[in-house]
Amino acid sequence: MIKQFVLDTLIPLLVSGSLGGFLLFVLLARLVYDHLETHYRDALSSPATHGFLETDSMGGYMAEVWRVGRSGDWRRIESPFWRGFFWLAITAGGVMLLSLVGMITIFMFPSWWR
């Protein structure tokens, strides 16, 4: 019973949540980062002086959006629309992380569902 639920429902749900959350987070984090860069440049950390650590390459903007969320600088965003976009991006990233943790848990401890 539980094996069928895990294989038929839970694993596809977690895979969809992780992939969908990742794609949505990448898109929304880029939009939020561009808005922050344009209007609240001092809320972002200083630009990298190293070619390998550029914010625009390799998804550094996603880490910067998480940092803004952790530091509380997101409260400076005045527009309710962009605040909502920010929270949607953070929620999509949270769904992605929870889905990935769920998949790791399922595959690391298979004895409870097999």
Side-chain angles (χ1 to χ4, degrees):
M1 172 96 177
I2 188 119
K3 182 177 182 178
Q4 287 304 113
F5 172 73
V6 169
L7 291 176
D8 294 341
T9 306
L10 193 57
I11 290 179
L13 185 68
L14 292 174
V15 168
S16 299
S18 61
L19 289 175
F22 173 72
L23 293 174
L24 193 60
F25 179 61
V26 167
L27 174 70
L28 295 176
R30 184 65 208 191
L31 293 172
V32 169
Y33 178 79
D34 287 342
H35 178 73
L36 289 172
E37 189 177 34
T38 303
H39 299 287
Y40 304 98
R41 190 138 183 76
D42 56 337
L44 301 173
S45 59
S46 60
T49 59
H50 198 278
F52 292 116
L53 299 175
E54 288 184 31
T55 306
D56 286 340
S57 65
M58 295 187 282
Y61 58 90
M62 293 182 280
E64 190 64 26
V65 169
W66 274 111
R67 192 203 60 76
V68 167
R70 284 190 319 268
S71 69
D73 287 338
W74 62 271
R75 292 183 186 99
R76 295 177 49 204
I77 301 173
E78 295 176 7
S79 169
F81 176 77
W82 284 105
R83 263 192 194 208
F85 245 66
F86 172 79
W87 278 110
L88 191 60
I90 294 298
T91 303
V95 166
M96 173 191 66
L97 287 176
L98 287 176
S99 297
L100 288 173
V101 167
M103 281 196 310
I104 289 169
T105 304
I106 284 175
F107 289 113
M108 292 220 19
F109 305 106
S111 61
W112 68 270
W113 62 271
R114 283 194 177 169

